């Protein structure tokens, strides 16, 4: 792993250490129970793809070369600062099918052991709580959260299937109703989680959850890695899939770093943005 990257903004360009760069943001101290700090991260290509979809099967995948070791290190630093990881039914289905890795716990990778200690040293519980957003409520529950003593909550909308809500409750899970339709809405979800004492909420979700958080004015910060490559592909996902967003999509650049570490001589930008103050 390259130890350094070039900070391009703010200030004059300067080499800075990559490990610890996002831990320094102290996201766990930024939220309040009445205003949790909600952050998301994405990695995309220069042509704006976050995943490619197989036109024949409709199956989606993260193309090779989009995620790097340095990007993953920064992802783990964001994960370490969360009171709560928000994931969704689609991720749990992919996890169970072996299409994606389990990223629901902190400090599981050899290179990330010290992040588990960092949580303890910084007054956070050993592992974050997990929130599963789902409209269908049709997903397999992984066993890793129970093994690690994590609190698990399920979030859905008021018109989600009542029999499935009842089944999850009967199985001992807390089911939050956060939205008037079948889907989870950003505003009600953040309120519900804040009222349970969860102040830093990391969205490990995709375009739909980003969309609702932005529309409801609940996104506090967006971390964006841009890999310096063009992907093409006839069918793909970008960061948003809903209708035109308007002013809710206007963001202010807070930092921009350039990482030149890729062995083939290409690099990536690490940026973070915040919505404009109201
Ligand atoms: N490159 C990156 O940084 C990045 C980041 C995120 C995702 N991705 C990839 O992009 C592709 C699309 O992402 P995605 O699968 O996250 O797509 P998505 O369309 O945002 O979410 C898919 C599933 O999540 C649940 N969901 C999401 N938002 C919800 C809401 N507001 N209320 C209720 N349920 C909600 C639904 O589950 P139910 O069907 O259970 O209702 C839905 O089927 C995937 O291949 C993914 O791996 C890439």
């Amino acid at each position: 792993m390259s130890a350094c990257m070039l900070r391009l903004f703010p200030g004059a360009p300067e080499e800075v250490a990559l490990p610890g760069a996002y831990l320094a943001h102290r996201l766990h101290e930024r939220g309040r129970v009445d205003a949790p700090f909600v952050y998301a991260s994405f990695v995309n290509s220069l042509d704006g793809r976050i995943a490619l979809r197989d036109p024949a099967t409709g199956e989606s995948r993260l193309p090779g070369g989009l995620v790097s070791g340095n990007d993953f290190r920064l992802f783990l630093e964001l994960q370490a600062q969360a009171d709560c990881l928000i994931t969704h039914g689609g991720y749990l289905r992919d996890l169970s099918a072996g299409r994606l890795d389990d990223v629901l716990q902190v400090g599981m990778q050899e290179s990330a052991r010290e992040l588990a200690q960092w949580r303890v040293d910084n007054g956070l519980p050993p592992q974050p709580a997990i929130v599963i957003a789902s409209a269908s409520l049709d997903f397999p529950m992984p066993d890793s959260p129970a093994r690690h003593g994590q609190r698990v909550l399920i979030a859905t909308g008021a018109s989600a299937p009542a029999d499935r809500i009842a089944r999850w409750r009967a199985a001992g899970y807390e089911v939050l109703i956060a939205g008037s339709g079948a889907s989870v809405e950003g505003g009600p979800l953040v309120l519900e989680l804040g009222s349970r004492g969860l102040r830093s909420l990391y969205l490990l979700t995709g375009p739909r959850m980003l969309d609702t958080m932005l529309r409801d004015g609940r996104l506090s910060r967006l971390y964006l890695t841009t890999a310096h490559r063009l992907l093409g592909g006839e069918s793909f996902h970008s960061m948003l899939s809903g209708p035109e967003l308007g002013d809710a999509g206007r963001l202010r650049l807070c930092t921009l770093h350039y990482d030149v570490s890729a062995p083939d001589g290409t690099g990536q930008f690490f940026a973070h943005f915040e919505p404009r103050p109201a």
Side-chain angles (χ1 to χ4, degrees), residues 230-247:
L230 297 153
L231 281 174
E234 287 162 11
S235 185
F236 57 87
H237 297 270
S238 72
M239 284 165 58
L240 287 179
S241 52
E244 203 173 322
L245 193 56
D247 273 354

Side-chain angles (χ1 to χ4, degrees), residues 42-43 50-51 60 88-89 93 134-136 183-184 205-208 237:
F42 283 85
V43 50
I50 63 162
S60 300
H88 62 41
R93 291 189 291 271
S134 176
S136 71
S183 289
V184 174
T205 44
R208 277 178 56 191
H237 297 270

Side-chain angles (χ1 to χ4, degrees), residues 22 27 38-44 50 62 67 71-79 85-86 103 201-207 210 219 221-226 239 270-273:
Y22 281 0
L27 306 175
V38 182
Y39 57 108
S41 71
F42 283 85
V43 50
N44 74 354
I50 63 162
L62 289 180
V67 178
D71 175 65
F72 191 59
R73 165 69 201 191
L74 294 178
F75 163 81
L76 294 174
E77 293 191 4
L78 295 179
Q79 187 202 38
L85 303 175
I86 301 179
V103 290
L201 315 180
Y202 184 15
L203 302 180
L204 298 183
T205 44
L210 181 68
L219 190 79
R221 186 174 286 187
L222 173 67
Y223 287 89
L224 181 63
T225 295
T226 304
M239 284 165 58
F270 300 121
H272 85 261
F273 299 85

